Amino acid sequence: MQSYVSLPDGVFPSVCSLDCPDQCGLLVHKKDGKIVKIEGDPHHPVTQGSICNKVRNMTERIYDPQRLTRPLKRVGAKGEGRFAPISWEEAIETITSRWKELIAAFGPESILPYSFYGNMGRLSTEAMDRRFFHRMGASLLERTICSTAGSVGYNYTMGASYGTDPEETVDTKLFIMWGINAVSTNMHQVMLAEKARKQGAQVVVIDVHKNQTGRWADWFIPIMPGTDTALALGLMHILFAENMVDTQFLAQYTVGHEELREHVKQYDPASVSAITGVPVEDIYRLARLYGQTSPSLIRIGNGLQHHDNGGMCVRTIACLPALTGQWLVKGGGAIKSNSGILEFNKRALQRPDALENKETRRINMNQLGRALLELDPPIRSLYVYNCNPALVAPEGNKVRKGLQREDLFTVVHDLFLTETATYADIVLPATSSFETTDFYTSYWHHYIHLQKPVIAPYGESKSNVEVFRLLAKGMGYDDAMFDDTEEEMIRQALDYPANPFLSGITYEDLVEQNYVKAKVTPRFIDMLPTPSGKIELYASRMEKDGHPPLPTYTPLVVESSYPYWYVPGPNHNFLNSTFSNNAKHVQLEKFPRLFMNTADAAEKGIADGDLVRVWNDRGECELTAAVGEAVPRGVVVSQGLWADKPGTKRHVNALTPDRLADMGGGATFFSARVNVEKAAK
């Protein structure tokens, strides 16, 4: 494969590595061996040359003067952030020697990897790293912080993460953006909706917060947190009652529609309005708009699943397109995730067969704090990569207390000295995605991408693949799987007959074309991997798993008497904690805000622009009040994860619970209760 590294000048194809559904095709401009500009690839069929500010300013991050260039060892107290440079040889020797001692004394489960998708490259996130920790026998991490609850819920209905092809949504006549700030987190779906809008399409947004997407909508419907299941059931009540369902589709493609018809009679509009805060007349209007408009598409957002009832919420909304037969209409249906379309051979990539002890303990990443502080036998070493748990994990104060343990040997591999890295014993410098070979699979559109290296590694930085090869050698693991090249691993991942949509896509195709579209024929609606092979409105396996088999509303856990629901959503210029420490992106975002209803603020004597203290029994933070009508009464919303800065308290995950959602062990970030007052001067 041709590498672009040796070419000092030119424009080279690339792909965005961020944990974002759009996964844009990029063009990277180089001069004198350095990236000087990043722009969108106008030939990419979906992203068509448009990119967000996050990526447009990515060079600020790649060449940030704070970026790590050498391995470091801690010379100060944990959390203090004082380190001295060391060689790679010393770093690998220090890590592997300590691990050998821990394994000899306490067993391999005393070691825990902690990672997520800070880089969406599949080799960077789930290849040599998984092989290494499987071979070691380390504790297994359940990577459930983002989409698991909703994915499990959606799959109960549809069997897999299959949804509408976004390219077809230019023909959609009604978009329901449900719990997604798409302007900030799925901009190309907004662009496609705009094209459809010019042909008469309408856009409805349902959300807790009238954010950028709510302001863009034709109709914004505010809703109380965690009540979306009830609203969806109320819509079903009206669709059945007013004969706006496709009976032929229900008979041919679903199971349980008769049971569902009876079940939703209890969710009358008046009852649903009392739960959701949505007026009765708006529930009727929305149901009729949805029932009478075709093609209609529901874009199911990520935030919905971050509640105690998040899995059931997504499962319920996923039933709606079946009622109106939208899955057979071009541009109709729903998109929660399309990751199933590009499912690859994860067993070949991750090699779980290398794990000898099949009963190895599993630790949910949402409960890192309690794992570090309460688990017996304890975790004695933590290896963190592609993630910054000191900022992103719930119950943040508990996480930091755990990281403070002197007997916890912590290694962090990252581009920057993150909040987590300040607690590390060894810090390793990581490459950016532009410095590595990798492949990418979107979880929104249907394209798989190849990333060829564009620039040389920054300083002495190394990729995850390189580091785990070195660690394997240092541990004395001579298994052949650690010798696999990046090309060989990509070929192994693509060799997956179980997914017919990948059929015929080869490594050579990716090298030649940079991106290739999955072959979604025949229609996935004709080959759903549910137990019945149909859309399961009544899902008997849910009953076996301890859930109601029919969509059912369950209220959120009211964990305390604090007066406000707290929803810490994403902001426009960061992606989770990525960019929160880069000056350009912080400048674009300005400062962290707390959106608060005018009436609630008046009761507390809080004016727009006041610094306010937000607190509960887990912790506190200080944010700037944004007072208005953007959120309902009884709800406060913040945006973004902000890097630690001396003299500030803006660690919003100090407030969030580490309870697990109803399905999949998912996070419950959006189900916290807090109080708010004007901050002391």
Side-chain angles (χ1 to χ4, degrees):
M1 179 182 71
Q2 179 193 14
S3 170
Y4 304 130
V5 174
S6 62
L7 303 174
D9 303 293
V11 181
F12 306 98
S14 185
V15 58
C16 179
S17 67
L18 297 178
D19 186 0
C20 168
D22 298 48
Q23 201 161 95
C24 298
L26 304 177
L27 294 178
V28 176
H29 296 245
K30 280 176 66 178
K31 184 174 177 58
D32 299 329
K34 291 185 65 174
I35 296 175
V36 294
K37 179 182 178 183
I38 297 174
E39 63 180 351
D41 180 355
H43 301 296
H44 192 282
V46 181
T47 59
Q48 298 183 354
S50 297
I51 57 174
C52 66
N53 271 339
K54 293 185 275 285
V55 181
R56 187 174 293 108
N57 293 293
M58 183 74 85
T59 51
E60 302 276 347
R61 177 174 172 82
I62 297 169
Y63 299 113
D64 191 304
Q66 299 301 313
R67 188 170 166 190
L68 300 173
T69 60
R70 297 181 63 184
L72 305 171
K73 68 176 179 181
R74 180 168 61 89
V75 295
K78 286 200 170 191
E80 188 179 353
R82 289 203 297 126
F83 295 87
I86 56 174
S87 67
W88 269 101
E89 290 75 18
E90 182 179 347
I92 297 297
E93 170 62 22
T94 301
I95 297 166
T96 55
S97 295
R98 186 66 174 272
W99 281 350
K100 289 173 184 176
E101 293 171 1
L102 291 174
I103 291 170
F106 306 107
E109 290 177 277
S110 63
I111 300 167
L112 176 69
Y114 196 97
S115 70
F116 204 63
Y117 290 91
N119 178 332
M120 282 293 289
R122 296 302 176 170
L123 301 187
S124 296
T125 57
E126 50 188 316
M128 203 63 79
D129 58 318
R130 307 295 177 93
R131 296 178 181 194
F132 177 81
F133 287 114
H134 284 146
R135 169 64 177 82
M136 174 186 281
S139 288
L140 296 170
L141 183 72
E142 295 177 342
R143 293 171 172 85
T144 57
I145 201 167
C146 183
S147 61
T148 306
S151 294
V152 171
Y154 187 90
N155 290 0
Y156 277 132
T157 301
M158 298 295 294
S161 293
Y162 298 160
T164 305
D165 182 347
E167 291 181 88
E168 295 184 356
T169 64
V170 292
D171 296 317
T172 303
K173 293 301 180 186
L174 172 65
F175 293 87
I176 299 180
M177 303 288 188
W178 203 323
I180 180 172
N181 185 2
V183 170
S184 296
T185 65
N186 191 191
M187 64 173 282
H188 293 91
Q189 184 62 77
V190 170
M191 292 174 63
L192 291 165
E194 275 297 301
K195 290 182 179 180
R197 215 178 195 180
K198 291 176 181 177
Q199 303 173 59
Q202 298 180 71
V203 177
V204 177
V205 170
I206 304 169
D207 211 319
V208 170
H209 177 206
K210 193 172 185 178
N211 49 37
Q212 292 94 322
T213 306
R215 295 194 295 272
W216 162 73
D218 296 302
W219 180 21
F220 173 72
I221 302 175
I223 188 170
M224 291 301 291
T227 65
D228 306 84
T229 299
L231 179 58
L233 290 164
L235 299 179
M236 293 180 196
H237 174 103
I238 297 168
L239 291 171
F240 278 118
E242 299 190 357
N243 297 315
M244 291 185 288
V245 297
D246 186 332
T247 55
Q248 184 175 347
F249 182 92
L250 289 171
Q252 183 175 351
Y253 289 99
T254 75
V255 294
H257 60 92
E258 299 94 342
E259 294 93 332
L260 183 63
R261 181 188 291 269
E262 287 301 311
H263 177 68
V264 299
K265 287 180 179 178
Q266 64 188 292
Y267 294 98
D268 60 277
S271 299
V272 169
S273 178
I275 293 169
T276 63
V278 179
V280 169
E281 57 270 27
D282 285 353
I283 297 172
Y284 274 107
R285 177 186 168 192
L286 179 61
R288 291 164 181 163
L289 183 64
Y290 184 69
Q292 297 168 6
T293 308
S294 182
S296 61
L297 178 95
I298 303 176
R299 180 67 174 98
I300 304 173
N302 215 35
L304 299 168
Q305 65 201 336
H306 288 159
H307 284 296
D308 297 298
N309 57 13
M312 182 62 85
C313 176
V314 173
R315 181 271 199 276
T316 305
I317 295 170
C319 294
L320 283 167
L323 268 62
T324 57
Q326 285 301 306
W327 288 115
L328 296 183
V329 184
K330 185 180 180 183
I335 304 174
K336 191 276 181 187
S337 168
N338 272 323
S339 59
I341 300 295
L342 295 171
E343 188 74 22
F344 52 89
N345 193 336
K346 291 188 175 181
R347 289 191 65 84
L349 204 60
Q350 300 180 5
R351 296 295 302 274
D353 57 296
L355 180 64
E356 288 187 8
N357 177 14
K358 304 308 180 187
E359 302 302 316
T360 298
R361 68 177 175 182
R362 296 176 173 270
I363 296 170
N364 189 298
M365 70 184 304
N366 294 309
Q367 298 181 327
L368 177 63
R370 68 172 73 181
L372 292 177
L373 295 173
E374 303 169 14
L375 205 61
D376 185 23
I379 297 165
R380 299 179 185 274
S381 180
L382 188 69
Y383 186 96
V384 180
Y385 58 107
N386 285 348
C387 198
N388 183 11
L391 204 59
V392 307
E395 287 261 16
N397 287 337
K398 193 184 290 185
V399 171
R400 295 186 183 199
K401 185 177 179 182
L403 291 171
Q404 195 83 43
R405 278 175 42 200
E406 281 298 330
D407 64 335
L408 180 72
F409 177 65
T410 301
V411 181
V412 173
H413 185 201
D414 209 301
L415 282 74
F416 295 92
L417 196 67
T418 63
E419 287 78 5
T420 307
T422 64
Y423 294 91
D425 297 281
I426 299 290
V427 180
L428 306 175
T431 50
S432 74
S433 63
F434 299 114
E435 299 155 40
T436 60
T437 298
D438 217 324
F439 78 104
Y440 292 78
T441 56
S442 172
Y443 53 90
W444 173 62
H445 60 63
H446 290 179
Y447 289 82
I448 183 170
H449 297 74
L450 181 69
Q451 172 69 65
K452 305 169 187 176
V454 180
I455 55 175
Y458 188 82
E460 297 180 17
S461 61
K462 295 184 185 297
S463 69
N464 286 335
V465 171
E466 291 177 286
V467 172
F468 283 107
R469 284 199 192 106
L470 291 173
L471 290 170
K473 184 177 180 181
M475 293 295 295
Y477 302 156
D478 57 4
D479 311 62
M481 63 182 177
F482 295 116
D483 296 324
D484 286 345
T485 64
E486 284 85 344
E487 176 183 332
E488 288 169 333
M489 287 189 286
I490 295 171
R491 289 184 183 276
Q492 293 161 9
L494 293 175
D495 183 9
Y496 194 44
N499 181 6
F501 306 142
L502 278 189
S503 177
I505 297 178
T506 67
Y507 176 78
E508 285 75 19
D509 293 334
L510 292 175
V511 170
E512 180 182 350
Q513 302 173 44
N514 298 310
Y515 47 81
V516 180
K517 188 174 186 179
K519 299 172 175 59
V520 189
T521 53
R523 298 175 309 195
F524 64 75
I525 198 70
D526 296 313
M527 47 186 294
L528 295 179
T530 57
S532 65
K534 298 182 178 183
I535 298 171
E536 300 208 338
L537 306 176
Y538 182 103
S540 56
R541 61 180 173 146
M542 292 187 72
E543 201 163 25
K544 295 175 184 175
D545 293 341
H547 307 295
L550 287 164
T552 302
Y553 169 66
T554 303
L556 297 183
V557 174
V558 181
E559 60 182 17
S560 70
S561 60
Y562 292 120
Y564 307 110
W565 290 111
Y566 174 52
V567 177
N571 66 19
H572 197 70
N573 293 291
F574 306 165
L575 206 159
N576 299 320
S577 65
T578 303
F579 303 115
S580 67
N581 64 327
N582 299 121
K584 178 66 175 181
H585 295 81
V586 172
Q587 179 186 6
L588 290 168
E589 195 61 35
K590 297 184 175 64
F591 53 87
R593 301 168 177 83
L594 184 78
F595 294 89
M596 192 172 189
N597 185 271
T598 302
D600 288 337
E603 286 182 355
K604 294 280 189 173
I606 294 170
D608 188 64
D610 283 347
L611 186 68
V612 294
R613 174 178 174 250
V614 191
W615 85 95
N616 57 24
D617 294 340
R618 286 181 285 269
E620 66 177 8
C621 61
E622 292 182 342
L623 308 170
T624 300
V627 176
E629 301 302 315
V631 295
R633 290 208 67 176
V635 178
V636 292
V637 172
S638 66
Q639 290 187 310
L641 299 177
W642 293 74
D644 286 353
K645 184 179 178 182
T648 65
K649 297 178 182 178
R650 49 192 192 181
H651 180 205
V652 298
N653 274 320
L655 304 168
T656 54
D658 66 357
R659 291 192 308 274
L660 301 182
D662 55 347
M663 298 176 192
T668 58
F669 288 112
F670 293 178
S671 290
R673 301 283 291 188
V674 299
N675 207 342
V676 182
E677 66 183 2
K678 190 181 294 188
K681 293 184 179 179

